Amino acid sequence: MEQVLAPSRPVTEPAQRDLRLLPKAHLHLHFTGSMRPATLMELADKHGVRLPEALSSGEPPKLRATDERGWFRFQRLYDSARSVLRDEEDIRRLVHEAAEDERADGSGWLEIQVDPTSYAPRLGGLIPALELVLDAVDEASRMSGVGIRVLVAANRMKHPLDARTLARLAVRYADQGVVGFGLSNDERRGLARDFDRAFRIATDAGLLAAPHGGELAGPSSIRSCLDDLGAGRVGHGVRAAESPALLRRLAEDQVTCEVCPASNVALGVYEHPQDVPLRRLFDAGVPMALGADDPLLFGSRLAEQYELAREHHGFTDEELAELARQSIRGSLAPEPVQGRLLAGVDAWLEAPAG
């Protein structure tokens, strides 16, 4: 007698909450790198700028920056993208679109990094360039409802005297939207300790020190950020996972690491998304603020970093909510804003999944 089998039931995945609705803060986003690809193309056409094929193909460029040649290529593409930002209208458009993208990803607070020296030649100098950015930020914040502040970032490939000039500029505008001072570019070039006087200028005036460390260079670069620059947050910091002692220190001192998983993979720091040691940092108690770094070049924005933690590292909704809380607590948002966002995280978690 032929056996009749019952129809198999489709295996359904457990319902998951929408990570774009999860309130969060974004603490690692670079100014030019926040640009939409379509905006890049339109501004290039507006100004007659010929972009490299890697930027005009409509797809994120293939990058790998673990050697000097790869980093040079990445920097060349970044400089090409920055060259389309030539007037006030361009700057305001970028900031307004960044705010809209943050709101769409559930970000209620953004701290965007900008090196005004990159735009000063076309915008009338350092002061006019920073004042334009700050005015655009204030306007975009009011229109979008996303709180936005600025970190002025020095370039470690330039002379430390240039960094001191920027630190004084940042201090001058500390009550007009500047909340911190950073140090970007290749950590393997330009030792952090060479910039200690610039950071002392900034921190003595109450600005947050948030230099890059622990991405292209290892744990020693993070230690230098802490010991030599007085870092209150570390840009990236992901390679702290290679040092148990450093993990303990970051956890004990509650120093937030601005971890950018998609860019870590795109730049070849880790081969695959599952190789990024998010779980190790999280389990060690190191506060993290997931960041998109440069969405223009890496192809993913803020909410997708949380998706990566869910998909490749098995973070539960409860753990993802805790990551969002850590980003908010690690921010410089005023207490009422932090309270509102934290309450929103609790509400997201209490809502039914699916």
Side-chain angles (χ1 to χ4, degrees), residues 234-315:
V234 176
H236 296 295
V238 68
R239 292 184 62 186
E242 299 168 18
S243 168
L246 183 56
L247 284 177
R248 287 193 297 272
R249 179 179 178 183
L250 292 169
E252 289 170 2
D253 294 344
Q254 287 293 283
V255 176
T256 298
C257 290
E258 304 160 2
V259 178
C260 306
S263 75
N264 292 161
V265 176
L267 292 178
V269 178
Y270 299 102
E271 196 68 29
H272 305 288
Q274 59 269 27
D275 298 334
V276 181
L278 291 181
R279 176 63 66 180
R280 185 164 185 190
L281 269 69
F282 185 81
D283 289 347
V286 177
M288 286 187 287
L290 299 188
D293 205 359
D294 297 292
L296 174 66
L297 295 176
F298 304 133
S300 61
R301 293 191 178 272
L302 182 58
E304 290 166 285
Q305 313 309 310
Y306 286 78
E307 292 282 3
L308 187 150
R310 171 186 272 168
E311 179 180 352
H312 295 283
H313 298 273
F315 276 67

Side-chain angles (χ1 to χ4, degrees), residues 138-161:
D138 180 64
E139 183 180 57
S141 182
R142 285 186 282 106
M143 292 181 66
S144 67
V146 177
I148 311 175
R149 297 294 185 272
V150 170
L151 277 82
V152 172
N155 185 342
R156 70 200 314 148
M157 304 288 282
K158 296 182 179 179
H159 197 279
L161 285 173

Side-chain angles (χ1 to χ4, degrees), residues 130-141:
L130 183 57
E131 287 185 347
L132 173 57
V133 169
L134 291 173
D135 189 63
V137 159
D138 180 64
E139 183 180 57
S141 182

Side-chain angles (χ1 to χ4, degrees), residues 123-198:
L123 298 175
L126 274 177
I127 291 174
L130 183 57
E131 287 185 347
L132 173 57
V133 169
L134 291 173
D135 189 63
V137 159
D138 180 64
E139 183 180 57
S141 182
R142 285 186 282 106
M143 292 181 66
S144 67
V146 177
I148 311 175
R149 297 294 185 272
V150 170
L151 277 82
V152 172
N155 185 342
R156 70 200 314 148
M157 304 288 282
K158 296 182 179 179
H159 197 279
L161 285 173
D162 294 332
R164 290 180 218 172
T165 297
L166 283 178
R168 294 186 186 97
L169 182 68
V171 169
R172 176 174 174 174
Y173 290 91
D175 61 345
Q176 298 178 53
V178 175
V179 293
F181 188 67
L183 183 65
S184 60
N185 216 307
D186 188 350
E187 302 140 35
R188 299 164 297 190
R189 307 278 293 276
L191 297 175
R193 65 172 177 264
D194 293 339
F195 298 87
D196 58 348
R197 291 182 64 182

Side-chain angles (χ1 to χ4, degrees), residues 203-227:
T203 55
D204 283 351
L207 295 178
L208 172 76
H212 284 44
E215 183 193 27
L216 297 173
S220 62
S221 69
I222 303 172
R223 292 191 190 94
S224 184
C225 287
L226 299 172
D227 296 335

